[in-house]
Each structure stands twice: as structure tokens, then as C-alpha cells.
């Protein structure tokens, strides 16, 4: 077996429902003595967003990838940049360089923060099974999700630019398209992947 095959087997045995237990055997140092250790499985949340206040009184938020936790992390990063002394929001740089996409729903949730109305976000697509003049509308507002909706439109008046590069793709490009459509947002960088 290759090292990758061994790694896949180990990972598949370690994975399980959060809160369930898994026993691993640990070898201690050069003594080759082993000891069983019981671990509790939990969800691993990888940070996908970081933010800071830069010189010149500008907020900077980087989104590395759109995941299920990205909207909450984005909101937290933006709120941590705080308001100016006069109560207004700082201008914002959203950095999507190297962001190859991920969850379209997460990108849409973040776009809602900049929407004046929730009905502003709508995606249409052409189905191979439908005549070319027929379009189908996808409602991407998840049922039962409350968290960010109270913040919809909260940043509708924040001025911002988006940084892009050739690796900016997929859900990032959808977010960019929405922001360009609503806000005529300026892009800084090179053409995106698509």
C-alpha cells in the first residue's frame, strides 16, 4: 500500500459523528511501548476569513474559501474592524485572491449583508431539459436559517473594492457578479479563472 492509501484508511477510521468516541493506539518514543487513548470526535472548523484595520483607516477582510462557516466568520471579521469615531463604516477591501470557490450558498449569504432587499438575490439557470426560452429560478434562501437574516442589508452603504487574481473562481465569481450588478463594485487585480 502507498502512504496515501494508508492515510486514507486511517482518516476513514477516525471520522465519525461528533461526540462519538474513537480509540487510537499511540506509540511512545523509542521504547515502542503503546498506550490506547480514547478521543471524542468533533467538528473541525477551519478558519476561512481573516480581517484587520489597515493604515489609512481601511478595513481588510480576506475570504480564502466559501464554506458553511464562512458567512459567520465574515460577519465577525467585519464587525471586529469596528466603526470610525463618527459612527460610519470604514471603506472595505474584500480579498478573494486565491479563493477557488466553495459553497455558492455561503457566497449568497454574504452578498445578502450588502443587499437592500433579500429579494435582490436570485439565480436563474438554463436546464438542458427545457426549451432555451424557459428559465428556472432557484430559491437559495435556506429554510429555517435565521442567523444572518437579521443582518441582511446591514452593510448596504459600505463602500468597498474586491481584489481578484487568476485563481479567483466559482462561488467567488458569483459573489463578484452580484456585487458588480448591485453596487458596480470596482475590481482590482487580474481576470478571474472563469
Amino acid at each position: 500500500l502507498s502512504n496515501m492509501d494508508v492515510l486514507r484508511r486511517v482518516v476513514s477510521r477516525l471520522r465519525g459523528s461528533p461526540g462519538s468516541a474513537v480509540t487510537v493506539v499511540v506509540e511512545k518514543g523509542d521504547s515502542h511501548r503503546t498506550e490506547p487513548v480514547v478521543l471524542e470526535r468533533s467538528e473541525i472548523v477551519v478558519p476561512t476569513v481573516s480581517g484587520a484595520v489597515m493604515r489609512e483607516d481601511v478595513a481588510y477582510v480576506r475570504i480564502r474559501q466559501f464554506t458553511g462557516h464562512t458567512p459567520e466568520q465574515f460577519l465577525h471579521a467585519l464587525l471586529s474592524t469596528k466603526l470610525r469615531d463618527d459612527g460610519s463604516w470604514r471603506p472595505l477591501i474584500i480579498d478573494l485572491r486565491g479563493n477557488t470557490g466553495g459553497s455558492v450558498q455561503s457566497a449568497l449569504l454574504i452578498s445578502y449583508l450588502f443587499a437592500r432587499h433579500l429579494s435582490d438575490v436570485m439565480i436563474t439557470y438554463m436546464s438542458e431539459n427545457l426549451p432555451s426560452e424557459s428559465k428556472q429560478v432557484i430559491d437559495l434562501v435556506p429554510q429555517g436559517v435565521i442567523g444572518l437574516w437579521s443582518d441582511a442589508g446591514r452593510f448596504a452603504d459600505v463602500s468597498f473594492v474586491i481584489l481578484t487574481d487568476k485563481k479567483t473562481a466559482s462561488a467567488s465569481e458569483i459573489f463578484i457578479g452580484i456585487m458588480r450588478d448591485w453596487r458596480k463594485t470596482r475590481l482590482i487585480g487580474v481576470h478571474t479563472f472563469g
Side-chain angles (χ1 to χ4, degrees):
L1 295 173
S2 72
N3 286 343
M4 283 305 291
D5 290 332
V6 171
L7 179 61
R8 281 189 199 107
R9 282 185 175 183
V10 169
V11 168
S12 72
R13 289 183 179 179
L14 290 175
R15 283 191 175 147
S17 300
S20 64
V22 62
T23 302
V24 297
V25 178
V26 178
E27 186 175 303
K28 294 193 169 201
D30 293 336
S31 70
H32 300 291
R33 200 179 92 224
T34 61
E35 180 180 324
V37 177
V38 178
L39 302 173
E40 182 180 327
R41 292 179 174 107
S42 64
E43 181 180 6
I44 299 171
V45 178
V46 178
T48 59
V49 178
S50 57
V53 175
M54 302 174 67
R55 291 189 340 230
E56 306 301 322
D57 200 33
V58 174
Y60 170 86
V61 176
R62 178 177 172 85
I63 304 173
R64 290 174 192 79
Q65 183 179 16
F66 288 98
T67 69
H69 295 282
T70 303
E72 296 166 65
Q73 292 176 14
F74 180 85
L75 181 58
H76 176 74
L78 198 51
L79 292 174
S80 71
T81 64
K82 298 182 181 150
L83 298 171
R84 292 179 173 154
D85 291 339
D86 66 2
S88 64
W89 288 102
R90 292 179 166 86
L92 174 64
I93 297 170
I94 300 176
D95 189 348
L96 297 178
R97 294 175 296 176
N99 183 330
T100 56
S103 167
V104 172
Q105 189 173 24
S106 290
L108 289 174
L109 285 171
I110 292 172
S111 72
Y112 282 132
L113 296 172
F114 297 95
R116 298 199 192 303
H117 308 284
L118 285 180
S119 60
D120 287 346
V121 178
M122 185 181 348
I123 290 187
T124 60
Y125 73 97
M126 301 298 290
S127 171
E128 294 176 11
N129 302 327
L130 296 173
S132 62
E133 63 275 357
S134 298
K135 289 185 178 178
Q136 206 165 14
V137 177
I138 306 171
D139 181 9
L140 288 168
V141 178
Q143 296 300 316
V145 174
I146 297 170
L148 291 174
W149 303 126
S150 62
D151 291 302
R154 184 173 188 171
F155 306 109
D157 297 321
V158 173
S159 62
F160 63 95
V161 298
I162 298 175
L163 304 182
T164 65
D165 66 9
K166 63 184 178 182
K167 292 181 181 177
T168 305
S170 186
S172 297
E173 292 171 309
I174 292 170
F175 176 76
I176 289 168
I178 293 168
M179 293 300 97
R180 296 274 296 165
D181 185 48
W182 289 350
R183 307 280 302 272
K184 309 297 183 231
T185 302
R186 179 178 291 179
L187 303 181
I188 299 174
V190 298
H191 287 285
T192 61
F193 181 79

